[in-house]
Amino acid sequence: MGEVLKNMPDSLLPYLSHNNRLDCIDFCEANMKGEVRNELDGKSVLSQLTADYALFRLNEASKMELFLLETGSQSDSIVCVIQTYGTDLCESIISFYSIVWQQLPVAKYLPESTKALAAHYDAELKVLTLESSNYLERPALEEQHEAVKVLIKLKWKDGTFNKI
């Protein structure tokens, strides 16, 4: 995953310079804390780096998960990027890229019926969890009921995510 991060376009992490990313990778590979000062004068941390997964904590309210999805051969791997924003109520954007960072259509890899508010990838189980909630759809009543969360778990198989 370190090589994938080294070649990632700067536009995906605009306030983390290329040298910052390289420093984070070097620190993690040396079993040190992968923390750097970003372009907004804050701290960003590469908190997890494995052969097929990386987790950046960009600031207190933003994180980016990147992971490789196998398609049959190493040169055909797909990079999935989850950018999550927020603290209490989070929103995620899921993107897919070729190994050389050409953007791929999301609809090709995720089932159409998956509308999510937040997403998270479990690197150990290799499961993508999408969380949706009716929090924003509820009327503002004095006696509101708790927000209903729906979790959809997906597993990568045969070049697409499928419900499990």
Side-chain angles (χ1 to χ4, degrees), residues 5-59:
L5 290 175
K6 289 175 185 177
N7 296 319
M8 181 173 63
D10 292 340
S11 60
L12 287 177
L13 282 173
Y15 62 90
L16 202 59
S17 73
H18 182 74
N19 287 336
N20 285 150
R21 280 200 321 272
L22 295 177
D23 287 344
C24 285
I25 295 164
D26 289 344
F27 294 152
C28 282
E29 289 176 347
N31 294 320
M32 298 168 57
K33 187 174 183 180
E35 182 176 278
V36 294
R37 185 153 297 282
N38 60 42
E39 300 294 321
L40 298 176
D41 207 29
K43 291 181 182 177
S44 295
V45 180
L46 178 57
S47 57
Q48 192 172 352
L49 179 65
T50 67
D52 61 356
Y53 179 79
L55 173 61
F56 271 104
R57 295 275 177 197
L58 303 171
N59 59 41

Side-chain angles (χ1 to χ4, degrees), residues 5-149:
L5 290 175
K6 289 175 185 177
N7 296 319
M8 181 173 63
D10 292 340
S11 60
L12 287 177
L13 282 173
Y15 62 90
L16 202 59
S17 73
H18 182 74
N19 287 336
N20 285 150
R21 280 200 321 272
L22 295 177
D23 287 344
C24 285
I25 295 164
D26 289 344
F27 294 152
C28 282
E29 289 176 347
N31 294 320
M32 298 168 57
K33 187 174 183 180
E35 182 176 278
V36 294
R37 185 153 297 282
N38 60 42
E39 300 294 321
L40 298 176
D41 207 29
K43 291 181 182 177
S44 295
V45 180
L46 178 57
S47 57
Q48 192 172 352
L49 179 65
T50 67
D52 61 356
Y53 179 79
L55 173 61
F56 271 104
R57 295 275 177 197
L58 303 171
N59 59 41
E60 300 81 29
S62 178
K63 71 178 182 176
M64 177 183 276
E65 293 178 271
L66 302 98
F67 49 97
L68 292 176
L69 300 166
E70 297 301 323
T71 59
S73 71
Q74 180 64 21
S75 62
D76 289 341
S77 292
I78 295 170
V79 181
C80 183
V81 178
I82 303 173
Q83 295 169 297
T84 302
Y85 307 95
T87 53
D88 295 331
L89 185 63
C90 297
E91 182 176 357
S92 297
I93 298 169
I94 301 174
S95 306
F96 294 91
Y97 297 88
S98 70
I99 201 75
V100 293
W101 292 101
Q102 293 175 328
Q103 191 158 13
L104 303 170
V106 174
K108 183 176 179 180
Y109 304 105
L110 282 177
E112 272 187 50
S113 61
T114 53
K115 181 182 130 189
L117 184 62
H120 170 70
Y121 186 71
D122 185 319
E124 283 186 38
L125 298 175
K126 309 254 187 245
V127 171
L128 176 64
T129 301
L130 305 177
E131 180 182 315
S132 63
S133 172
N134 67 345
Y135 183 82
L136 298 176
E137 298 169 3
R138 299 179 305 147
L141 302 173
E142 284 184 31
E143 297 178 14
Q144 289 182 336
H145 298 288
E146 288 292 318
V148 176
K149 291 184 180 180

